[in-house]
Amino acid sequence: MSQPDPRINIDRLIAELQCLAAISDCPEPPPAVTRVVFTETDLRARDYLTGLYEQAGLAVRVDAIGNTFARWEGAEPALPAVGSGSHTDAIPHSGMYDGTVGVLGVLEAIRALKSAGAQPRRSIEVLMFTSEEPTRFGMGCTGSRLLSGAITPDELAQLRDSDDQDYDQVRQAAGFNGPLDSVELPSEYYHAFVELHIEQGPVLEAERLDIGVVTAIAAPAALQFTVTGQGGHAGGVLMPARHDALTAAAEVTLAIERLAQQSRSPDLVATVGQLDVHPGAVNSIPSRVRFSLDIRDINNDNRDAVVREIGVQAQAIAERRGVAIGSRVLNADPPAIAADSIIDAVEAAADALRLSHRRMISRAYHDSLFIARVAPTGMIFIPCRGGVSHRPDEFSTPDQIKAGVQTLALTLAELAK
Amino acid sequence: MSQPDPRINIDRLIAELQCLAAISDCPEPPPAVTRVVFTETDLRARDYLTGLYEQAGLAVRVDAIGNTFARWEGAEPALPAVGSGSHTDAIPHSGMYDGTVGVLGVLEAIRALKSAGAQPRRSIEVLMFTSEEPTRFGMGCTGSRLLSGAITPDELAQLRDSDDQDYDQVRQAAGFNGPLDSVELPSEYYHAFVELHIEQGPVLEAERLDIGVVTAIAAPAALQFTVTGQGGHAGGVLMPARHDALTAAAEVTLAIERLAQQSRSPDLVATVGQLDVHPGAVNSIPSRVRFSLDIRDINNDNRDAVVREIGVQAQAIAERRGVAIGSRVLNADPPAIAADSIIDAVEAAADALRLSHRRMISRAYHDSLFIARVAPTGMIFIPCRGGVSHRPDEFSTPDQIKAGVQTLALTLAELAK
């Protein structure tokens, strides 16, 4: 390969990852991180990143919902650019590598290419997506959904957080203004898009490999359930007279677990991650419970069949218990397939660097799931310890991160030729 | 009966109940009420009550944890007083009659006796208890527990709220200072204690009776459970590898419900009213769940046997699922028996007023459960619609409240003779 040798300053990159981790609302210190979109903490993290991008000589642009673009202009700036990026928001009490390795890694890749004297023909652009995580609005990837036209501006504007504020109010209060219909990317904006990310699964570590070349991203769906029963005094209402919303929700939660375990697809996973009890007092029978369902599979049809069966069993539970159970699909997305051109470029880069690699699918989803609808897209995975993610002990070694950033740098240089 | 006729101003009393209901942190308007101990709202409610007591010519004293005494001095003030009162704190999103009918009702009873020219030999004292509800500190009746010596000052000081602040810090921040060991009542402080309360059950309404004469209060216990599993990314961890804390908690919740339903005592009730999921993100497997158990029975032994069986089943669930389940008893109190002298006085008062009445037990517990340890104690119940309590639609009619206050007034006058 005729690329310049990418000299990654891994110490600087690790220091920047640690600095970003310190911008957190988690009561525990880093590596525990909480950074929810459009909070003060999210804004401070954005300021930090923008400062780094500008120091590196990149031209920064922020769209109406906070998606942040930082461009290294190519020799032919009118050509569609090569994009790379990820997210910086973090679910409560999670780790410091999810998303951030992609956002800071591409910056280090660009700095390395620049200092090696590379002069790409196409512009190379960092993209930091707003709100990959569904924590606040129940729907993940709102930034990439709007960029790719996977959601309409009206649908996005009306999403609500737990304080019943809508997305449109919240983004404006955070200082992101401008019309929502200005966000969608023009056609052929990107020639290619590559996202560097930790695997969030155990495969690469178990097989002692350096690089995962992602060929597809699993199909995710998210639902919200509401169980409405009858409240009352925990001392005053005898057991046969009860219509307890929490015990009904517990039964549905166990039905979800059982259906996922018994699914014919071993890749199907289903999780109830949020569950809120109303009124939530020690001595009060729960009158209403809201809970989330996150369900994914490589196979779209199998996933949808399990969702339907969950609905059937929930209705049977509701009837037997004399409660009402409603559900709402927040999103049900098809899987994404990576572009062959990018798979080839990543494999060639890893070979040139003498890094071991394999093709794999991503069971976690990413902003690339949506960018794949509007540009040839691929992903580079690096191992993470024990496959652990969304926890404070999420970890990749500096060497693993360095290998990923090197691979990304060569891939970007090749795609921008 | 030779008592003065108690002229209750029911319109004024209802207006005062409505005013108190308006002092609330509930996002919905009254009759929905939220008033948690030692919040700004609790302090405003206390100010309102103290003002009313002083206007009525009562001498107000507040102890080191905010229990508030308002005394109408008798002809022989050195004699043990006759006490009556209840609580003003309200669980989230509850109603406007629980506790408040007793706190404002005794004030109206005293005003009626005063205006009728009564001159009691013993002092009559209003007692507004701090924190009957367990909302903030997990343990109910902290005020009456400390007054009666049912909890030590050290035990009380160390109770923690969900922000991990201890009781001692919180009461001092709310302006209640002084040594905790000054709170316990001297022996023979009260000659008698009577609490007026809504029934919080369906019996009186169903039998179309005016007054319930309480003979015993059921034995309540409260436990807190913590389930510790393994978190992780909802996409990254396949179903067979999971140790989900929430599905384990769901199974324990259903075991609790089943054991309560199958108990040989129809009076046994068990409720999981609070359940908190950590980290509580849509796309994260729950790593820790905390939940409360409230369990009551007329029969102490039966209640404790069910608690033991719940523990056995929880451990079996923990082993099978590879999670840890710990539990802690917050309180496990014996039942209380009402004093015959007070039962007789209440029945005589109701007869003199030509009100229908019956003897009954209280399945809800009250501060009287603890005051009964240090003074002859009894309770007067009035009907509430549908037996509903701890909900915004909790309701007693003005006539029902009036009958209860009249009965209380005559009972107090008789006991203070």
Side-chain angles (χ1 to χ4, degrees):
Chain A
M1 237 179 164
S2 62
Q3 305 296 346
D5 181 31
R7 295 271 171 81
I8 303 303
N9 186 337
I10 187 63
D11 294 339
R12 172 172 60 184
L13 176 54
I14 298 295
E16 289 169 350
L17 283 165
Q18 287 169 342
C19 183
L20 189 54
I23 306 174
S24 164
D25 281 322
C26 191
E28 291 171 42
V33 176
T34 299
R35 201 159 46 232
V36 176
V37 68
F38 299 142
T39 58
E40 279 298 316
T41 299
D42 177 40
L43 299 180
R44 280 194 292 129
R46 291 164 181 272
D47 286 345
Y48 172 66
L49 285 172
T50 303
L52 293 180
Y53 295 150
E54 287 175 345
Q55 281 170 37
L58 308 182
V60 175
R61 166 174 82 84
V62 180
D63 74 12
I65 60 170
N67 291 310
T68 301
F69 304 78
R71 180 176 280 232
W72 177 21
E73 197 150 285
E76 297 182 33
L79 290 178
V82 174
S84 177
S86 193
H87 65 98
T88 55
D89 63 329
I91 69 166
H93 207 257
S94 60
M96 61 175 276
Y97 299 95
D98 176 7
T100 57
V101 164
V103 171
L104 287 167
V106 61
L107 172 65
E108 184 56 32
I110 288 173
R111 289 188 297 216
L113 290 172
K114 276 190 157 189
S115 68
Q119 290 183 315
R121 192 165 67 100
R122 296 178 185 276
S123 299
I124 295 179
E125 189 173 80
V126 181
L127 175 41
M128 196 284 282
F129 295 98
T130 279
S131 192
E132 195 263 355
E133 301 292 0
T135 312
R136 182 156 188 175
F137 294 100
M139 179 187 283
C141 296
T142 59
S144 52
R145 282 178 200 269
L146 195 57
L147 285 168
S148 65
I151 190 173
T152 67
D154 276 356
E155 286 166 346
L156 182 77
Q158 290 165 22
L159 293 179
R160 289 183 174 274
D161 68 11
S162 60
D163 291 334
D164 219 33
Q165 292 186 288
D166 66 36
Y167 197 100
D168 199 41
Q169 286 176 291
V170 175
R171 61 119 191 175
Q172 295 197 45
F176 302 109
N177 301 299
L180 291 178
D181 60 10
S182 67
V183 171
E184 188 173 347
L185 292 174
S187 63
E188 307 204 4
Y189 181 86
Y190 284 127
H191 170 67
F193 189 88
V194 193
E195 181 170 2
L196 171 65
H197 208 283
I198 62 171
E199 183 196 335
Q200 304 183 291
V203 176
L204 293 175
E205 186 188 59
E207 301 185 6
R208 300 173 178 269
L209 296 174
D210 300 313
I211 296 294
V213 185
V214 174
T215 55
I217 302 173
L223 288 85
Q224 185 166 59
F225 286 80
T226 303
V227 183
T228 310
Q230 278 178 34
H233 191 290
V237 186
L238 293 182
M239 298 308 291
R242 294 191 176 200
H243 303 277
D244 183 322
L246 178 58
T247 52
E251 207 175 331
V252 178
T253 299
L254 291 174
I256 289 168
E257 182 186 48
R258 193 172 52 246
L259 288 167
Q261 286 167 339
Q262 296 170 350
S263 162
R264 60 195 164 83
S265 162
D267 286 312
L268 186 131
V269 285
T271 308
V272 176
Q274 284 181 329
L275 187 145
D276 295 311
V277 181
H278 178 87
V282 170
N283 54 354
S284 202
I285 299 165
S287 61
R288 193 182 68 231
V289 172
R290 289 208 176 107
F291 64 92
S292 65
L293 168 63
D294 176 304
I295 182 165
R296 309 166 192 228
D297 197 355
I298 306 304
N299 182 322
N300 220 1
D301 294 338
N302 186 52
R303 182 200 70 191
D304 290 346
V306 174
V307 169
R308 280 192 299 275
E309 182 58 24
I310 289 170
V312 168
Q313 297 205 7
Q315 285 321 306
I317 291 166
E319 279 178 34
R320 181 159 35 76
R321 287 180 169 272
V323 303
I325 301 182
S327 70
R328 197 161 62 89
V329 177
L330 299 179
N331 56 274
D333 300 298
I337 308 299
D340 287 338
S341 58
I342 296 179
I343 293 172
D344 292 344
V346 174
E347 288 179 336
D351 285 338
L353 293 159
R354 297 169 190 263
L355 297 170
S356 57
H357 56 88
R358 64 162 278 176
R359 296 188 178 195
M360 61 193 304
I361 56 120
S362 170
R363 276 187 275 107
Y365 69 93
H366 304 280
D367 291 302
S368 289
L369 180 71
F370 298 99
I371 296 302
R373 299 187 182 192
V374 293
T377 296
M379 291 191 75
I380 301 170
F381 274 178
I382 60 170
C384 58
R385 189 175 56 197
V388 163
S389 184
H390 282 192
R391 282 170 29 186
D393 54 342
E394 174 183 277
F395 181 69
S396 297
T397 68
D399 282 348
Q400 289 168 335
I401 294 170
K402 183 178 178 184
V405 175
Q406 284 178 314
T407 305
L408 176 64
L410 286 196
T411 303
L412 293 175
E414 178 65 27
L415 293 168
K417 263 188 181 168
Chain B
M1 240 179 159
S2 62
Q3 305 298 344
D5 181 29
R7 296 269 171 82
I8 303 304
N9 185 337
I10 188 64
D11 294 338
R12 171 172 61 182
L13 176 54
I14 297 295
E16 289 169 349
L17 283 165
Q18 287 170 341
C19 182
L20 189 53
I23 305 174
S24 163
D25 281 322
C26 191
E28 290 171 43
V33 176
T34 300
R35 200 161 44 232
V36 177
V37 67
F38 298 143
T39 59
E40 279 297 317
T41 299
D42 177 40
L43 298 180
R44 280 194 290 128
R46 290 165 181 271
D47 286 345
Y48 172 65
L49 284 173
T50 303
L52 293 181
Y53 295 151
E54 287 174 346
Q55 282 171 37
L58 307 182
V60 175
R61 166 174 82 83
V62 180
D63 75 12
I65 59 170
N67 290 310
T68 301
F69 304 79
R71 181 175 280 234
W72 176 22
E73 197 151 286
E76 297 182 32
L79 289 178
V82 174
S84 176
S86 192
H87 65 98
T88 55
D89 64 328
I91 69 164
H93 206 256
S94 61
M96 60 175 276
Y97 299 95
D98 176 7
T100 56
V101 163
V103 171
L104 287 167
V106 61
L107 171 65
E108 184 56 33
I110 287 173
R111 289 187 299 217
L113 289 172
K114 278 189 155 192
S115 70
Q119 290 181 316
R121 192 164 68 100
R122 296 177 185 274
S123 299
I124 295 180
E125 189 173 80
V126 180
L127 174 42
M128 196 285 281
F129 295 99
T130 278
S131 192
E132 194 263 354
E133 301 291 0
T135 312
R136 182 156 189 174
F137 294 99
M139 178 188 283
C141 296
T142 59
S144 51
R145 281 178 201 269
L146 195 57
L147 284 168
S148 64
I151 189 173
T152 68
D154 276 355
E155 288 166 345
L156 182 77
Q158 290 165 24
L159 294 179
R160 289 183 173 274
D161 68 10
S162 60
D163 292 335
D164 219 31
Q165 291 186 290
D166 66 36
Y167 197 100
D168 199 40
Q169 286 175 291
V170 175
R171 63 119 190 175
Q172 294 197 45
F176 302 110
N177 301 298
L180 292 178
D181 59 11
S182 66
V183 171
E184 188 173 345
L185 291 174
S187 64
E188 306 204 7
Y189 182 86
Y190 284 126
H191 171 68
F193 189 88
V194 192
E195 181 171 1
L196 171 65
H197 208 284
I198 62 170
E199 181 196 337
Q200 304 183 288
V203 175
L204 293 175
E205 184 188 61
E207 300 185 6
R208 299 174 179 268
L209 296 173
D210 300 313
I211 296 293
V213 185
V214 174
T215 55
I217 302 173
L223 287 86
Q224 184 166 60
F225 286 80
T226 303
V227 183
T228 308
Q230 278 178 33
H233 190 291
V237 186
L238 293 181
M239 298 308 291
R242 294 191 175 198
H243 303 277
D244 183 324
L246 179 57
T247 52
E251 209 175 329
V252 179
T253 299
L254 292 174
I256 289 168
E257 182 187 48
R258 194 173 50 247
L259 287 167
Q261 286 167 340
Q262 296 171 353
S263 162
R264 60 195 166 80
S265 162
D267 285 312
L268 186 130
V269 284
T271 308
V272 176
Q274 284 181 329
L275 187 146
D276 295 313
V277 181
H278 178 87
V282 169
N283 54 354
S284 205
I285 300 164
S287 61
R288 193 182 68 231
V289 172
R290 288 209 178 106
F291 65 91
S292 64
L293 169 63
D294 175 305
I295 182 165
R296 309 165 191 228
D297 197 354
I298 305 304
N299 181 323
N300 221 359
D301 294 338
N302 186 54
R303 181 200 68 190
D304 290 345
V306 174
V307 168
R308 278 193 300 275
E309 182 57 24
I310 289 170
V312 169
Q313 298 206 6
Q315 286 321 307
I317 291 165
E319 279 179 34
R320 181 160 34 76
R321 287 179 170 270
V323 303
I325 301 181
S327 69
R328 195 162 62 89
V329 176
L330 299 179
N331 56 276
D333 301 298
I337 308 298
D340 287 339
S341 57
I342 297 180
I343 294 172
D344 292 345
V346 174
E347 287 179 337
D351 285 338
L353 293 159
R354 297 169 190 262
L355 297 170
S356 56
H357 57 90
R358 64 162 278 177
R359 295 187 178 197
M360 59 194 306
I361 57 118
S362 170
R363 277 189 275 107
Y365 69 93
H366 304 279
D367 291 301
S368 290
L369 181 69
F370 298 98
I371 296 302
R373 300 186 183 193
V374 292
T377 296
M379 293 190 73
I380 301 170
F381 274 179
I382 59 170
C384 57
R385 189 174 57 196
V388 163
S389 184
H390 282 193
R391 283 169 29 185
D393 53 342
E394 174 184 279
F395 182 70
S396 296
T397 67
D399 281 349
Q400 288 168 336
I401 294 170
K402 183 177 179 182
V405 175
Q406 284 178 314
T407 304
L408 177 64
L410 285 197
T411 302
L412 293 176
E414 177 64 27
L415 292 168
K417 262 189 183 166

